[in-house]
Amino acid sequence: MNLIFLGPPGAGKGTHAKVICEKFGVLQLAAGDILRKNVKEGTSLGLQAKAVMERGALVSDELVNNMMFAEILALKSSKGFILDGYPRTIVQAEALKKFFAKEKIALTAVINFMAPEEVLVDRLSGRRGCPKCGKIYHVRNMPPKKDGICDRDGEKLTIRKDDEPETIRHRLKVYHESTKPLVEFYRKTGLLHDVLAGGDAPSVQKILEKLFEKIH
Ligand code: AMP
């Protein structure tokens, strides 16, 4: 099962990808997480991406395509994958289509996460993450048991630099300009499923599980 999770920042792609991966044994490839890991490790890709990411703009198509193709090839023998936050531009989607054709990889479905703008802003501004295991929390909607501390490993939770209010607004603008056209791109393939993702995590999860039982 090879999936693409499409949608604006804050729509819940990452949160739900983690649950679907556990349930169906597929692997999550989150472009943003892989880029942040490169920034942390100070790789050449990380050095090129850091400033762009901090201001909430998009890293170049060429860099992201090469990074994601290498990641996909590395897990070709797995049960499948969820591409989370990739592709994000028409150029990336066209390149991915060619790559899939060359590697004989079949795309199973594209999930389009939709949520009202005020919900997105609220989710992003209250988002906290564990720098060690990657678990995502929200100060109000999904708080950890102990304030500011990861339930899994006791690590201190952090706020992403690009979750500052000004940067959130810019990232949403970038989504509308560059990524939203992908909805029509994938709708034409007949593989797109719209999911209303503005509700709380457990109810969105139920909608997704029903959908995946059909798709799987
Ligand atoms: P995310 O964790 O998905 O919100 O991504 C964080 C940041 O990583 C984005 O704001 C971009 O700067 C960069 N990024 C993630 N995915 C892509 C992509 N597919 N194309 C270009 N830049 C990306």
Side-chain angles (χ1 to χ4, degrees), residues 35-36 38-40 43-60 63 161-162 167 170-171:
L35 285 166
R36 275 185 292 279
N38 275 276
V39 171
K40 205 170 163 189
T43 65
S44 139
L45 170 61
L47 292 174
Q48 292 175 80
K50 188 171 187 279
V52 181
M53 291 174 76
E54 278 176 6
R55 61 169 197 272
L58 292 181
V59 176
S60 89
L63 285 179
K161 261 207 178 122
D162 59 352
T167 320
H170 185 62
R171 286 163 66 207

Side-chain angles (χ1 to χ4, degrees), residues 121 125 161-170:
V121 173
S125 49
K161 261 207 178 122
D162 59 352
D163 280 344
E164 304 289 344
E166 186 82 355
T167 320
I168 289 175
R169 273 192 293 278
H170 185 62

Side-chain angles (χ1 to χ4, degrees), residues 22 73 83 100 114 117 162:
E22 261 178 42
L73 287 179
L83 300 182
F100 279 167
M114 300 186 299
E117 191 113 340
D162 59 352

